[in-house]
Amino acid sequence: MDIESRSYQNIVKKESWRTVLTLAYQSLGVVYGDLSTSPLYVYKSTFAEDIHHTESNDEIFGVLSFIFWTITLVPLFKYVFIVLRADDNGEGGTFALYSLLCRHARVNSLPSCQLADQQLIEYNGSSSEMTAQSGFAARLKCTLEKHRVLQKVLLVLALIGTCMVIGDGVLTPAISVFSAVSGVELSTAKEHHKYIEVPAACIILIGLFALQHYGTHRVGFLFAPVILLWLMCISAIGVYNIIHWNPHVYQALSPYYMYKFLKKTQSRGWMSLGGILLCITGSEAMFADLGHFSQLSIQIAFTSLVYPSLILAYMGQAAYLSQHHAIASEYNIGFYVSVPEKLRWPVLVIAILAAVVGSQAIITGTFSIIKQCSALGCFPKVKIVHTSSKIHGQIYIPEINWILMILCLAVTIGFRDTRRLGNASGLAVITVMLVTTCLMSLVIVLCWHKNIFFAIAFVVFFGTIESLYFSASLIKFLEGAWVPIALSLCFLAAMCTWHYGTLKRYEFDVQNKVSVNWLLSLGQTLGIKRVRGIGLIHTELVSGVPAIFSHFVTNLPAFHQVLVFLCVKSVPVPHVRPEERFLVGRVGPKQFRMYRCIVRYGYRDVHKDDIEFEGDLVCSIAEFVRSEAETAVVETNGEGERMSVVGTCSTYMQGIEDLDGSDVDEMDKPGPSEILSPKLKKKKSKVKKKVRFVVPETPKIEKETREELMELTEAREGGVAYIMGNAYMRAKHGSGLVKRLAINVGYEFLRRNTRGPRTALTSPYASTLEVGMIYHV
């Protein structure tokens, strides 16, 4: 069974308590790596410049009170109890919220939308989509659907959150690894620190990014034990420090100490909130990684282990610092000064391992969200490598990996201290949280159909807290906070330019498409020589004939005997079930042997390789031909074509000949029409079964249908050719300066330096033909 089939079974199966507890344990290494390593640098960043540790302990107790209530209100109340419920068919993250809003209000930015997409099970399966909206929710939905400006603002808001997540993918590994390595300063002379900390951090970061292409599935089983050991370590040290140094430190949990802290420190205390903010870095991962686990497992892991361990760790550090006021003259106030001297080296090793695990989680999350953006047309095409055939979501993007590594090394070498790294990381974290708060307020009204006062209360309460931290981080613009802003602006400009260019290209295709009547007027042979094989015309259109085909047939004298207009598109759902994967229809009369096939993927679906995809495509067309009279029509598009839903090979068995291992040995090598299918192989058998489409020997199939199926089989054996358009876009004469820069410079630069349309199909180079055209948009 492949990843695709397993992912749907994991969604629908009823979880036992054993499964939930296992997922809760596994989530420690994936979800909580970043959050659990925050004690390494929170106090150090907070006391770096704005405030100082004094004999009265007002500062340290005030900071502890802020940390306790910040962790309690934001990760615990906001994310664990509220935001985790806003899942998109089990998936979480910024784009999951945006996807929910796209389905409940027609604000979808994807151009090739169809009515048939709204009939997908996943489209309506996660919420009360059919519930009638009334009052404010109906007026809000109408307003969003009516004003395109608001739709663009909503998209840009989601993209800003995405860009900040990418920025966090640069900053989190830097600050986590650098803070972990900084423990060596207690065992070396001060003048040697810069010769040890920065090189050691850079070596670890280079190794971390260099090993990404191997995937984490080989060592992933070690992630949860490392984080579990780290949490037990910091909580045990915290308990020791509380008992040994200040058992009454629990009194600082009172909100009164926050008031006392701000009253004494005033503006300096407000500016120090940028360091306190780092105690919740990584909280967004609980929601972003929801698709890998379950809501209940993440809630159990946080409330029963992560939350108490972090509180004990921060209380322990505060208890130690409350009895040591002279350390600031020798060392910066950090995590390692509160660790007993005999345990510092073992704790240093565990801290480095935990920092690597936390960095790995945010890097993988960055890959995942870029994949989602690319699927929804908001990021240039990139090469996506699935590093595990068993674990869904384990991906690697080479281009992004090396960009992240270069940027991560640049900020590490450039800043060389936790304070500025913390300022940069804090702004990225709090911006993502603000975006989530804004999108959640719309989800509460439009998707959950709650009263407007619930949404207002949510925005006012959590928005006020996050705005306070955001202002404290933004004031540090010149002290490191400019980095995430600069990175986000660069990525946002690239995303908006690519999305704008993609829409303009689609508009050009729609305006210049050739009618089916023109194609039919050419006759059964299309006015050219029909040769053996299948020709796949890749297009973004869901109806009509693309201009590249007319350009192709007017310049070449031959084409394949079976012609398929293929559209591979993404829909605003995380997954499309295998039985709903294909929309197949016929173009023209039967004797023309022309079909239209629309392949639908969710933004988290795994795209199959060329061999398996070709097999599923041919099987879906054959199934459509065989059951054409019985299949329900789900859509008649503008060209009068009837489209029917057809699943992949795994969803039906008629016409599939299963060859067992003994037959494999006796047969010749597989021809082009035979598909190696891992879906049907037995668990105990190491021999891959060959699965091929055959025409069943039954009198129920009409002679005309049998001939069509035989011709399809013959064409499949003749080979498959991919014909794709390679468009060079130019702004029309008289266009404005902004449009000329966006199309002629920005979009063309991204198109030339990123992957082409072949990436979406993973088509083999030897079977791909690109048709060049100039688009004046």
Side-chain angles (χ1 to χ4, degrees), residues 325-522:
H325 303 91
I327 60 172
S329 60
E330 298 180 11
Y331 304 106
N332 291 327
I333 296 178
F335 169 77
Y336 290 102
V337 294
S338 63
V339 178
E341 188 173 354
K342 294 182 180 179
L343 297 178
R344 282 176 183 169
W345 281 106
V347 171
L348 174 65
V349 174
I350 299 174
I352 293 176
L353 293 176
V356 170
V357 171
S359 303
Q360 175 62 53
I362 191 64
I363 293 171
T364 303
T366 303
F367 292 158
S368 178
I369 200 167
I370 287 178
K371 177 181 180 292
Q372 296 176 27
C373 292
S374 181
L376 295 177
C378 296
F379 199 88
K381 298 296 182 183
V382 291
K383 181 180 180 180
I384 298 175
V385 179
H386 295 272
T387 58
S388 174
S389 60
K390 298 180 180 179
I391 304 175
H392 178 72
Q394 291 288 347
I395 61 175
Y396 166 70
I397 304 177
E399 302 96 322
I400 302 301
N401 181 69
W402 303 123
I403 291 175
L404 290 179
M405 187 190 76
I406 294 172
L407 294 175
C408 191
L409 292 175
V411 296
T412 303
I413 297 173
F415 287 155
R416 299 187 181 186
D417 66 81
T418 307
R419 178 177 61 87
R420 287 184 291 179
L421 285 172
N423 293 337
S425 180
L427 183 61
V429 169
I430 200 62
T431 304
V432 177
M433 292 183 177
L434 276 172
V435 170
T436 300
T437 299
C438 295
L439 295 179
M440 270 298 302
S441 64
L442 296 176
V443 169
I444 291 173
V445 176
L446 295 176
C447 305
W448 293 355
H449 310 294
K450 299 295 183 182
N451 194 291
I452 181 60
F453 294 106
F454 286 100
I456 294 176
F458 182 86
V459 170
V460 170
F461 183 74
F462 292 109
T464 301
I465 297 173
E466 292 163 359
S467 297
L468 180 65
Y469 283 114
F470 179 79
S471 62
S473 297
L474 196 61
I475 202 68
K476 302 291 184 68
F477 179 82
L478 298 178
E479 300 175 28
W482 62 269
V483 171
I485 295 178
L487 291 176
S488 297
L489 287 176
C490 292
F491 281 106
L492 183 63
M495 289 181 176
C496 291
T497 300
W498 183 262
H499 183 67
Y500 177 74
T502 302
L503 291 180
K504 288 300 179 182
R505 176 175 176 174
Y506 184 81
E507 291 175 3
F508 182 90
D509 284 335
V510 172
Q511 294 169 2
N512 293 272
K513 68 180 180 180
V514 181
S515 67
V516 175
N517 293 330
W518 170 84
L519 188 66
L520 300 182
S521 65
L522 298 178

Side-chain angles (χ1 to χ4, degrees), residues 215-338:
T216 59
H217 60 283
R218 292 183 177 89
V219 295
F221 67 95
L222 295 175
F223 287 178
V226 168
I227 298 300
L228 179 61
L229 180 62
W230 169 249
L231 290 173
M232 293 175 62
C233 177
I234 61 175
S235 58
I237 294 174
V239 171
Y240 168 80
N241 285 331
I242 292 172
I243 296 175
H244 189 265
W245 296 110
N246 191 349
H248 301 289
V249 72
Y250 67 89
Q251 296 176 354
L253 302 182
S254 170
Y256 168 73
Y257 284 88
M258 291 192 292
Y259 165 76
K260 193 175 180 180
F261 169 78
L262 291 176
K263 182 179 179 180
K264 179 178 180 180
T265 58
Q266 298 181 357
S267 62
R268 293 183 294 106
W270 166 66
M271 295 175 65
S272 70
L273 294 180
I276 298 174
L277 163 66
L278 297 176
C279 70
I280 54 175
T281 179
S283 300
E284 187 73 21
M286 286 190 287
F287 185 45
D289 293 326
L290 183 60
H292 299 293
F293 303 97
S294 66
Q295 177 182 336
L296 184 59
S297 64
I298 292 178
Q299 291 172 332
I300 290 175
F302 183 80
T303 55
S304 63
L305 181 60
V306 179
Y307 177 75
S309 297
L310 290 175
I311 297 302
L312 287 174
Y314 287 117
M315 289 178 64
Q317 290 186 63
Y320 178 88
L321 294 173
S322 66
Q323 302 299 321
H324 297 80
H325 303 91
I327 60 172
S329 60
E330 298 180 11
Y331 304 106
N332 291 327
I333 296 178
F335 169 77
Y336 290 102
V337 294
S338 63

Side-chain angles (χ1 to χ4, degrees), residues 602-755:
Y603 56 80
R604 288 188 65 91
D605 274 333
V606 177
H607 289 220
K608 297 183 177 181
D609 58 28
D610 54 335
I611 297 179
E612 192 173 2
F613 176 79
E614 289 178 10
D616 278 347
L617 180 64
V618 174
C619 285
S620 67
I621 296 175
E623 180 66 15
F624 165 76
V625 172
R626 186 168 49 242
S627 58
E628 186 175 11
E630 302 175 1
T631 305
V633 178
V634 300
E635 178 178 352
T636 302
N637 59 22
E639 301 289 341
E641 301 171 15
R642 302 173 61 192
M643 308 295 292
S644 301
V645 175
V646 183
T648 60
C649 290
S650 60
T651 60
Y652 53 85
M653 293 302 298
Q654 284 187 332
I656 302 295
E657 179 180 340
D658 190 1
L659 307 176
D660 56 24
S662 59
D663 293 332
V664 170
D665 295 334
E666 297 174 2
M667 295 186 63
D668 296 330
K669 295 182 180 180
S673 63
E674 295 172 339
I675 312 159
L676 291 178
S677 176
K679 300 186 186 74
L680 301 178
K681 66 179 182 181
K682 297 179 181 178
K683 293 182 179 179
K684 296 182 179 179
S685 175
K686 297 183 180 180
V687 181
K688 287 187 177 181
K689 292 184 177 182
K690 292 188 293 183
V691 179
R692 64 182 179 185
F693 168 75
V694 295
V695 181
E697 297 292 338
T698 170
K700 294 183 180 180
I701 298 183
E702 299 179 357
K703 179 180 179 181
E704 186 180 12
T705 302
R706 181 182 296 277
E707 290 177 354
E708 187 173 3
L709 292 174
M710 291 296 293
E711 188 170 347
L712 180 62
T713 305
E714 179 185 353
R716 175 69 177 91
E717 293 177 351
V720 178
Y722 295 81
I723 291 86
M724 301 181 180
N726 192 352
Y728 297 86
M729 293 181 56
R730 291 290 183 272
K732 293 180 179 178
H733 293 291
S735 300
L737 177 62
V738 176
K739 183 176 181 179
R740 293 201 307 270
L741 289 176
I743 298 298
N744 298 348
V745 180
Y747 183 83
E748 278 301 300
F749 173 81
L750 293 173
R751 186 192 63 82
R752 289 194 302 267
N753 293 278
T754 54
R755 308 279 175 170

Side-chain angles (χ1 to χ4, degrees), residues 18-69:
R18 182 177 180 180
T19 303
V20 171
L21 293 177
T22 301
L23 289 174
Y25 167 73
Q26 293 174 346
S27 69
L28 295 176
V30 177
V31 178
Y32 299 109
D34 187 13
L35 184 61
S36 64
T37 54
S38 58
L40 288 170
Y41 44 80
V42 170
Y43 282 114
K44 191 172 185 178
S45 299
T46 304
F47 287 93
E49 185 178 21
D50 300 312
I51 58 177
H52 302 284
H53 185 32
T54 62
E55 296 286 344
S56 64
N57 288 327
D58 290 338
E59 293 82 4
I60 194 66
F61 288 161
V63 170
L64 174 61
S65 184
F66 264 103
I67 290 174
F68 171 76
W69 287 107

